[in-house]
Amino acid sequence: MTAAPEVVTVGEAMAALRATGPIRLAPPMELSVAGAEANVAIGLARLGHRARWVGRIGADPFGTLVLRTLRAEGIDTTHTHVDTDGRPTGLLVREDGIGDLAGVHYYRERSAGSALTPEDVLPALHPGVRVLHLTGITPALGPSATRTVQAAAARARELGITVSLDINHRARLWTGDRARRTLLPLARTADILIASADELHLVADDPTRDEADTVAALLDRGTREIVITRGAAGASVTTTDTTARAPARPVPVVDVIGAGDAFVAGYLSALLDGLTTAQRLHRATDTAAFAVATRGDWEGLPTRTDLTLLDTPTGTTLR
């Protein structure tokens, strides 16, 4: 019998077209796969964990690409559903700008992923699963996806599964006010809350409070760990007992998209391994470094062996 997954991620995976310049100039494009929850699943699988992605894809070539890619990365897709009502797989189009500036355009309205239902997801949660990872992206896709994420969090709580929530606000999908109305109650179900410093107000009972007061209030509300990412300034994690901080790994920046998902994969990997909060941050910042130093949302994510490469002297050639 196949062992139960350690982590279940729920969300939308899409086809991704990456333009090498402004789209209006018809630059060459590369086709790949994108989606925050899928990225986290790939990151965990590369680090040696059993990960399951649950979502809905269209009955189209893009959906086949998503499924083929995830399976090739060792992801459990047993509970992935192919939409039979004509809804397409979502599409993301990215264009590079000046320096490391990039623009992202979404084509995911009425996509298969937006029609995800609780019936699709709940059978994937059962005793043996240790972590359910969710993001604030999926509930932005529509009412059905919102209900599904809420139902998944509630079922995980019933089963004693740790709930991880990455706020991951996408301003092109919904406004801050709409996001706050949905994410505030969802965050109350989270054991681990992950947010960038500028997203924290979206899950604060009083958004006018400063960061320290907001974190204290979230812990009082029952969240076990508050993880705050700060880009080039690193990250911190606060529990009721302690606060740990870690700087970002200094690496040449090639592509910042996907860094947050890589960070989450590293953090959850270390959590599953029983490491301390400081050690979790260390692994998370290491995996994020691999993401920003390589092109693509997930292609450069490391294996455990790869993680040791960051400590080799600059200019080392492995022979």
Side-chain angles (χ1 to χ4, degrees):
M1 180 180 294
T2 303
E6 295 173 274
V7 180
V8 172
T9 71
V10 175
E12 181 176 39
M14 302 165 286
L17 286 172
R18 298 169 181 158
T20 55
I23 291 172
R24 68 179 184 278
L25 300 179
M29 289 190 174
E30 301 170 348
L31 177 62
S32 186
V33 169
E37 300 86 358
N39 293 342
V40 171
I42 291 172
L44 285 164
R46 288 197 179 177
L47 291 170
H49 300 283
R50 300 184 305 278
R52 170 181 289 165
W53 177 78
V54 184
R56 185 176 279 264
I57 55 176
D60 50 39
F62 286 152
T64 302
L65 171 67
V66 168
L67 203 56
R68 188 171 182 268
T69 300
L70 293 178
R71 287 174 174 169
E73 290 293 330
I75 308 303
D76 180 340
T77 59
T78 305
H79 293 273
T80 298
H81 298 266
V82 178
D83 191 277
T84 57
D85 293 324
R87 301 182 186 91
T89 304
L91 177 65
L92 176 155
V93 182
R94 168 192 168 156
E95 57 182 335
D96 290 342
I98 297 173
D100 61 0
L101 184 66
V104 177
H105 308 275
Y106 297 114
Y107 301 89
R108 60 207 306 187
E109 187 176 357
R110 299 186 181 88
S111 67
S114 70
L116 194 64
T117 69
E119 292 73 25
D120 294 333
V121 174
L122 296 185
L125 297 171
H126 48 72
V129 174
R130 296 177 60 188
V131 177
L132 168 67
H133 178 66
L134 305 168
T135 78
I137 299 173
T138 304
L141 302 179
S144 183
T146 298
R147 289 194 301 273
T148 300
V149 168
Q150 293 167 338
R155 177 61 60 83
R157 299 283 289 188
E158 291 172 2
L159 295 173
I161 298 170
T162 295
V163 177
S164 164
L165 174 64
D166 183 0
I167 298 304
N168 225 333
H169 178 56
R170 294 290 186 267
R172 288 193 171 182
L173 294 180
W174 56 356
T175 65
D177 287 342
R178 280 188 58 217
R180 177 177 162 74
R181 287 195 296 272
T182 299
L183 295 178
L184 184 58
L186 183 62
R188 294 189 177 114
T189 69
D191 298 291
I192 301 171
L193 183 69
I194 304 162
S196 62
D198 60 355
E199 291 173 331
L200 199 60
H201 70 281
L202 293 173
V203 291
D205 291 318
D206 181 356
T208 65
R209 287 181 170 180
D210 64 18
E211 182 180 297
D213 286 344
T214 297
V215 169
L218 290 169
L219 293 171
D220 287 343
R221 204 169 67 189
T223 305
R224 196 170 71 214
E225 302 173 24
I226 314 296
V227 184
I228 301 178
T229 58
R230 308 176 192 279
S236 65
V237 57
T238 303
T239 68
T240 53
D241 300 321
T242 186
T243 294
R245 294 179 175 84
R249 278 277 195 168
V251 293
V253 176
V254 174
D255 185 355
V256 298
I257 294 179
D261 302 329
F263 178 95
V264 171
Y267 191 86
L268 294 180
S269 168
L271 173 75
L272 293 167
D273 286 349
L275 302 187
T276 66
T277 52
Q279 291 169 326
R280 293 177 211 167
L281 281 182
H282 180 74
R283 184 175 294 178
T285 53
D286 280 359
T287 51
F290 275 87
V292 301
T294 53
R295 183 172 171 80
D297 286 27
W298 55 269
E299 286 85 343
L301 293 176
T303 64
R304 288 192 182 235
T305 301
D306 292 335
L307 288 175
T308 64
L309 298 178
L310 289 175
D311 295 318
T312 57
T314 302
T316 297
T317 300
L318 301 177
R319 300 182 187 274

